[in-house]
Amino acid sequence: MSEYVPASDVVPKKSTYPKSVPYIIGNEAAERFSFYGMRSILVTFLVVQFFNPTANKALSTVADAKANQLSHLFVTLAYALPFVGGLVADWFTGKYKIILYISIVYCLGHLLLSMFDSTLNGFEIGLLLVAIGAGGIKSCVSANVGDQFDVTNQDLLSKVYGWFYFSINAGSVLSTLAIPYVYQNYGAKWAFGIPGILMGLATIIFFSGRKLYVKVPPAGVNRDNFVFISIYALRNLSKKKEGESWLDVAKETHNPERVDGVKAVYRVMAVFFFALAFWAVWDQCLSEWVLQAARMNRDINLGFYHFTIIAGQVSTVNAIFLLIFIPVFNYWIYPFFDKIGLKTTPLRRLGVGLVLTALSFVIIALIQTKIDHGGTPSIWWQVLAYIVLSAAEVLVSITGLEYAYTHSPKSMKSTMTAIWLLVVSLGNFITAGVNSYIANKGTYAPYLAGANYYWFFVSFILVFVVVFMFVSPRLKERNYITDPYVDDVDQNKIIADTNNL
């Protein structure tokens, strides 16, 4: 005889975390420690060890430019490769194999950095391998987190991504504080060796969870993607009919819905173009600004404690204020302006963010002017610039990702993240080109020395701001989130790809 159990008495099964999650988060924390630890001393080491070991003031401009060029080329490659790594994983190998095998390349790169600390060619090979490692796994690691969940525990995914994001920042902050101290007190071999040890630990942690991972198999080559559709449309432009988009010709051989998705990608890319100004200068806070900090008064007197901060440690301020500003903007600043009638649309946020970016570089240029005239300004002035830049990062970087997701269909959201990372790469490539011009003593290189270098980038950003003011009102927009009949937002994927940066 069966018993009737009232629905109200049925206790829903409690969701449980996948057993693989601790291995993924531990791997990410250790990997980010290794990456940002190495970057915190990179430009300082390159100048002191290779480009100006005698600290000759006459060589400082060219030496700094060579170090900055190499640093920005490293970042260019590291942010260009996620696009390739994601395609290889999705089409051929799956995420697990890419993460494991490329992590081994990553470890080898760190090993070469510590081994060839007195040989530039060997050191550059190490940088190349680290860039391949960091870039190759970037697009796979956060997506691998989402693969571990199913319908029974989807409610826990946002919490896990919260811990995932925390691990990124924890690894970054700890390494930026620790590695410059190790470099100053124990030398380059240990300073580059410890990040290598952490990357080795990251690989071991990831491999240890191999029997617990949900491994999504590769899906094979998908020709209905952004690249194939764009190439086909370009090759068949002669078939375009009057009144049609140049992409519509691709509907002959490709999924029409995917072709419309590619149209959305190009609309968003018009907005991404203006974010290029931000990414051309942001990474300078981990290179040019570090070299500037070394020439400043870095004594910190808190009243109850007095110490001298190391130049490579100053960038920690960025991570701290970024974490503070994210809730401040989301829960106070945006609602305040919305309430008084100044709606904070994504395009307005982007525009204000670019203005703040220029303002941060105005502060840096004024600092450099004082240094050029023999002064040693307080490091607190650079901290102020970091605060302004952190606010700009919230307005540009986070808003840019939000705009990409809300203005592209579900089928193209991963593509938009890859293109966003390519914008970061291209921005760094531009800055590397400027530094290459200075290093090779181009005709106008003397006009880019000292504070003029930063004033150049202030002007560079302001040109983008002026053009943005005229173009933004004319940009065609289509929000795929507010219209549920067009597309439903995949919130978990948004979180995954946002944390992939």
Side-chain angles (χ1 to χ4, degrees):
M1 182 178 178
S2 62
E3 278 190 52
Y4 169 72
V5 180
S8 59
D9 292 343
V10 176
V11 179
K13 186 178 179 181
K14 187 176 181 181
S15 301
T16 57
Y17 290 99
K19 294 181 179 179
S20 58
V21 166
Y23 295 94
I24 297 174
I25 291 178
N27 164 266
E28 182 67 9
E31 186 272 328
R32 289 291 86 184
F33 184 105
S34 75
F35 182 81
Y36 283 106
M38 180 274 295
R39 284 213 63 195
S40 67
I41 62 169
L42 179 59
V43 288
T44 305
F45 169 78
L46 288 172
V47 171
V48 172
Q49 184 66 31
F50 297 122
F51 301 131
N52 193 8
T54 61
N56 187 337
K57 287 187 177 182
L59 300 176
S60 63
T61 298
V62 171
D64 290 359
K66 287 181 178 179
N68 291 327
Q69 177 192 1
L70 189 53
S71 175
H72 288 293
L73 286 175
F74 165 78
V75 179
T76 297
L77 184 59
Y79 279 89
L81 288 177
F83 188 82
V84 178
L87 288 181
V88 173
D90 289 343
W91 291 357
F92 304 113
T93 66
K95 300 180 190 71
Y96 173 78
K97 288 183 179 178
I98 278 288
I99 295 172
L100 181 61
Y101 297 153
I102 298 298
S103 290
I104 295 172
V105 174
Y106 204 158
C107 292
L108 180 59
H110 276 296
L111 176 63
L112 293 181
L113 292 183
S114 62
M115 286 177 59
F116 293 102
D117 62 320
S118 58
T119 307
L120 181 58
N121 289 338
F123 190 85
E124 287 178 333
I125 294 173
L127 275 181
L128 174 64
L129 295 181
V130 170
I132 292 172
I137 68 175
K138 184 178 285 293
S139 61
C140 299
V141 174
S142 63
N144 189 47
V145 177
D147 289 347
Q148 309 309 306
F149 290 78
D150 55 30
V151 293
T152 66
N153 54 9
Q154 280 287 313
D155 57 305
L156 298 175
L157 185 55
S158 61
K159 293 181 180 178
V160 169
Y161 273 119
W163 282 107
F164 184 80
Y165 185 70
F166 176 81
S167 71
I168 292 172
N169 285 278
S172 168
V173 171
L174 290 175
S175 64
T176 306
L177 289 173
I179 298 304
Y181 175 84
V182 173
Y183 177 55
Q184 179 175 282
N185 292 279
Y186 300 99
K189 285 192 180 295
W190 277 106
F192 287 112
I194 291 175
I197 292 171
L198 264 292
M199 189 58 224
L201 178 62
T203 306
I204 292 171
I205 292 172
F206 181 76
F207 181 71
S208 299
R210 64 193 180 281
K211 295 181 180 179
L212 302 174
Y213 299 129
V214 174
K215 301 172 184 175
V216 178
V221 177
N222 173 22
R223 294 187 177 273
D224 279 331
N225 65 24
F226 175 80
V227 176
F228 282 100
I229 290 173
S230 297
I231 291 175
Y232 182 88
L234 286 171
R235 293 178 63 182
N236 293 273
L237 278 176
S238 59
K239 298 179 181 179
K240 177 183 174 297
K241 298 176 182 179
E242 187 176 350
E244 282 187 340
S245 164
W246 66 280
L247 287 163
D248 284 331
V249 298
K251 291 181 178 179
E252 295 177 355
T253 57
H254 293 273
N255 185 327
E257 183 182 347
R258 288 299 184 105
V259 174
D260 288 335
V262 173
K263 292 180 186 178
V265 170
Y266 279 106
R267 287 195 296 270
V268 175
M269 284 175 65
V271 177
F272 279 9
F273 170 77
F274 295 99
L276 183 64
F278 175 80
W279 291 116
V281 300
W282 185 89
D283 263 286
Q284 293 187 35
C285 73
L286 298 176
S287 50
E288 283 87 336
W289 292 22
V290 175
L291 296 176
Q292 184 187 74
R295 301 178 178 111
M296 299 177 70
N297 178 4
R298 289 173 279 109
D299 288 339
I300 304 293
N301 190 349
L302 300 176
F304 59 91
Y305 186 62
H306 180 270
F307 64 98
T308 300
I309 191 170
I310 302 170
Q313 295 176 326
V314 183
S315 62
T316 308
V317 173
N318 174 252
I320 294 172
F321 277 96
L322 184 62
L323 292 176
I324 293 172
F325 283 152
I326 290 173
V328 167
F329 275 83
N330 285 333
Y331 295 108
W332 285 287
I333 294 179
Y334 294 154
F336 171 77
F337 283 103
D338 289 342
K339 189 175 182 180
I340 65 175
L342 292 174
K343 189 168 179 58
T344 55
T345 63
L347 291 181
R348 286 179 178 174
R349 295 179 192 179
L350 178 59
V352 174
L354 291 178
V355 172
L356 289 180
T357 304
L359 178 59
S360 70
F361 268 72
V362 168
I363 297 170
I364 292 296
L366 292 174
I367 293 171
Q368 189 62 44
T369 299
K370 191 167 184 178
I371 293 173
D372 292 344
H373 288 84
T376 52
S378 170
I379 197 64
W380 287 110
W381 287 107
Q382 198 180 77
V383 170
L384 176 62
Y386 271 107
I387 293 172
V388 177
L389 186 66
S390 299
E393 187 173 354
V394 173
L395 289 163
V396 176
S397 180
I398 295 175
T399 299
L401 282 168
E402 176 191 340
Y403 189 90
Y405 278 103
T406 57
H407 288 72
S408 61
K410 187 182 296 184
S411 62
M412 291 291 159
K413 295 190 189 300
S414 294
T415 300
M416 290 314 311
T417 301
I419 292 175
W420 178 257
L421 294 175
L422 286 175
V423 173
V424 180
S425 175
L426 181 57
N428 276 273
F429 185 73
I430 291 172
T431 307
V434 173
N435 279 281
S436 174
Y437 184 78
I438 297 170
N440 292 315
K441 300 180 180 180
T443 304
Y444 299 102
Y447 298 102
L448 292 172
N452 287 343
Y453 176 85
Y454 297 110
W455 287 118
F456 167 80
F457 279 103
V458 170
S459 302
F460 177 83
I461 300 166
L462 290 179
V463 168
F464 275 77
V465 171
V466 171
V467 175
F468 181 77
M469 290 172 62
F470 286 99
V471 173
S472 59
R474 297 169 176 80
L475 289 174
K476 294 180 179 180
E477 296 186 272
R478 179 180 178 181
N479 193 313
Y480 284 77
I481 305 305
T482 55
D483 185 354
Y485 296 101
V486 177
D487 192 25
D488 295 320
V489 64
D490 187 343
Q491 185 64 35
N492 294 327
K493 184 63 179 170
I494 289 177
I495 298 171
D497 285 342
T498 300
N499 290 337
N500 196 34
L501 287 179

